[in-house]
Amino acid sequence: MNAPDLEHLRPRLPSPLEPVEDERFARHGLTLLLKRDDLIHPDLPGNKWRKLALNLRAAGGRPVLTFGGAYSNHLRATAAAGRLLGFRTVGVVRGDELAGRPLNPSLARCAADGMRLLFVDRATYRAKHEPAVLARLLEQVPEDVYVVPEGGSNALAVEGCVALGRELAGTADVAAVACGTGGTLAGLAAGFPGPALGVPVLRGGFLGAEVRALQEAAFGGPRGDWRLDERFHCGGYARTTPELEAFAEAFGARHGLAIERLYVAKLLYGLGVLAEEGAFAPGTRIAAVVTGSPEPQEDSSR
């Protein structure tokens, strides 16, 4: 088998960097820049492209098996890559109760792109990294598959995200990204010469250890100046607050960008709070990475 030619998809790299006028930043002498990774490719946007590219080359045309929730952008991107580049895909979906229901728009898109969907109970899903559990899952797939972790985050994904940091070097003083599994932050920090800030969208303090482990796997040790601010996840992946909802609607109406509440909205809301708190010195240029789909979505699978 031959590795797929990803350049055939004509990714838009480097992705655009757009200044945005926002009074919460301007009144403190700060410049807000949007790193529009969502414009890299219509079917493989943002960190999904950066995290999948090296993994798909490593797969060498073999079927790819990966994991996600019912509204996972990662599953959609993997399925789309399979359709566009001609390899088979398998998605292990969290929540066996979903198997008997009509597919939501995200999973329907995955199926339309040829992805085989395997629904598993939540206990199995949480234990998917255990060798015995993974072996049982692979028994349901009668072919040699290349396994990509949830969110696409592994050492190759981290290496792929280093370019994101390098693209921002010299144009921003601080780089910030919303974090699900930590892979994008791990790579961004390694390629960016300044501080990198991660805003987790999930509840829990596990992510720092995840970022450190990913950097260890990719580089043999820590890289870059990064930190996490856990305050702005709103209690969980799909959780919001009235303040966040109002901010997302106002920002989208003003700038014509329907920011995804689950990632970009939480990132920009958190950065705005930090700006008001004086966390950044006047004159600082802050680049906020727009990852994934800019369309608001609800994740009813949690």
Side-chain angles (χ1 to χ4, degrees):
M1 296 183 181
N2 296 318
D5 180 10
L6 272 70
E7 295 307 313
H8 171 73
L9 301 183
R10 303 173 68 89
R12 186 180 182 182
L13 293 170
S15 59
L17 187 65
E18 302 174 351
V20 174
E21 293 295 329
D22 188 296
E23 70 276 4
R24 298 175 308 157
F25 295 84
R27 64 171 164 257
H28 297 289
L30 308 173
T31 299
L32 176 63
L33 306 163
L34 296 184
K35 179 63 168 167
R36 295 295 304 275
D37 261 23
D38 58 305
L39 299 179
I40 289 177
H41 190 276
D43 293 307
L44 284 80
N47 58 350
K48 305 302 179 284
W49 172 278
R50 297 186 190 273
K51 293 163 79 173
L52 278 173
L54 294 182
N55 274 294
L56 296 184
R57 292 194 178 103
R62 285 181 290 162
V64 171
L65 179 145
T66 192
F67 307 84
Y71 283 85
S72 168
N73 283 332
H74 168 66
L75 286 183
R76 290 180 62 178
T78 303
R83 168 177 57 84
L84 293 168
L85 297 171
F87 61 88
R88 291 188 297 281
T89 57
V90 180
V92 179
V93 184
R94 180 185 59 249
D96 57 346
E97 74 279 3
L98 301 174
R101 301 177 186 174
L103 297 179
N104 66 39
S106 290
L107 293 180
R109 181 69 263 170
C110 291
D113 282 340
M115 175 174 275
R116 177 186 174 188
L117 300 175
L118 297 178
F119 296 92
V120 301
D121 64 86
R122 293 164 190 272
T124 297
Y125 191 89
R126 287 192 296 270
K128 61 187 176 296
H129 301 304
E130 298 178 10
V133 175
L134 180 59
R136 288 198 298 273
L137 291 173
L138 294 179
E139 288 175 356
Q140 301 181 54
V141 184
E143 53 191 339
D144 178 29
V145 298
Y146 180 86
V147 178
V148 176
E150 181 180 22
S153 289
N154 58 9
L156 289 177
V158 172
E159 292 176 25
C161 291
V162 171
L164 171 59
R166 291 174 178 164
E167 289 174 21
L168 290 171
T171 62
D173 304 302
V174 175
V177 65
C179 301
T181 55
T184 304
L185 177 62
L188 168 66
F192 186 64
L197 173 66
V199 174
V201 299
L202 299 172
R203 189 205 317 257
F206 66 94
L207 198 55
E210 293 291 322
V211 175
R212 287 189 290 272
L214 286 166
Q215 288 196 332
E216 178 71 30
F219 313 120
R223 291 285 182 89
D225 175 13
W226 60 270
R227 69 179 178 88
L228 290 158
D229 197 306
E230 297 272 1
R231 290 179 291 167
F232 308 113
H233 54 64
C234 304
Y237 178 80
R239 302 289 180 83
T240 64
T241 64
E243 293 79 10
L244 180 65
E245 294 285 340
F247 162 73
E249 292 178 8
F251 191 96
R254 177 180 300 179
H255 301 294
L257 177 65
I259 56 175
E260 183 189 356
R261 287 175 172 81
L262 303 186
Y263 281 92
V264 182
K266 292 184 178 184
L267 172 64
L268 293 174
Y269 180 77
L271 288 175
V273 173
L274 291 172
E276 300 283 19
E277 292 178 349
F280 308 107
T284 300
R285 300 167 297 173
I286 306 166
V289 182
V290 181
T291 57
S293 167
E295 299 175 0
Q297 296 180 349
E298 298 290 340
D299 186 350
S300 61
S301 68
R302 286 186 182 268

